[in-house]
Amino acid sequence: MSINLIDIKATEAETAEAAHADWTLFTEGGVKEIVQTVARSFGRDYGLTLEAEDAYQEAQIILATRHRQARAALAQGNGVLHRWLHQRLRDRFLTEAKRRTSHASYEALTGGVA
């Protein structure tokens, strides 16, 4: 049995990055608008799981805690940051969204008759 130390170090680096939130990314041009656009889109597409206001807060937290990856995406362009952020939100909430949309309400099953 062998342990891959590179994976362990990467996990430690990600944990250390998450422990230090960097909120200065929001001062970069266009970042606030990207976060708002992604949050509105996510709230529209996954409204049963996460409302737009909550998606906005979650997106801010993702950007602040994963600031190195976010800056690298932003360096490649606003569209890349938009896509990266939407993927991170989707990864975080997709399982719950699938579970919620697969459920039918009692009223829907009974035809609204109580």
Side-chain angles (χ1 to χ4, degrees):
M1 173 186 267
S2 65
I3 297 175
N4 189 348
L5 296 178
I6 296 172
D7 291 341
I8 293 171
K9 289 181 180 180
T11 303
E12 290 173 2
E14 290 173 2
T15 305
E17 182 180 10
H20 171 69
D22 182 7
W23 298 95
T24 61
L25 185 62
F26 295 99
T27 61
E28 303 279 335
V31 172
K32 195 177 266 188
E33 291 79 14
I34 292 169
V35 174
Q36 290 171 344
T37 303
V38 169
R40 278 194 309 267
S41 169
F42 201 88
R44 182 185 62 241
D45 296 342
Y46 301 101
L48 294 175
T49 302
L50 194 65
E51 294 180 5
E53 295 83 13
D54 294 333
Y56 182 75
Q57 291 177 354
E58 289 294 333
Q60 287 179 318
I61 291 169
I62 289 170
L63 282 180
T65 57
R66 301 179 83 177
H67 52 89
R68 288 191 185 115
Q69 293 172 336
R71 285 188 191 282
L74 182 60
Q76 296 177 30
N78 288 355
V80 176
L81 179 61
H82 181 280
R83 178 76 174 156
W84 178 84
L85 185 57
H86 193 275
Q87 288 173 340
R88 299 298 76 77
L89 271 175
R90 189 194 64 222
D91 291 348
R92 185 174 284 184
F93 294 100
L94 186 60
T95 302
E96 185 178 346
K98 284 182 179 178
R99 184 178 52 80
R100 286 184 187 233
T101 56
S102 67
H103 287 242
S105 69
Y106 177 77
E107 290 81 14
L109 293 173
T110 60
V113 178

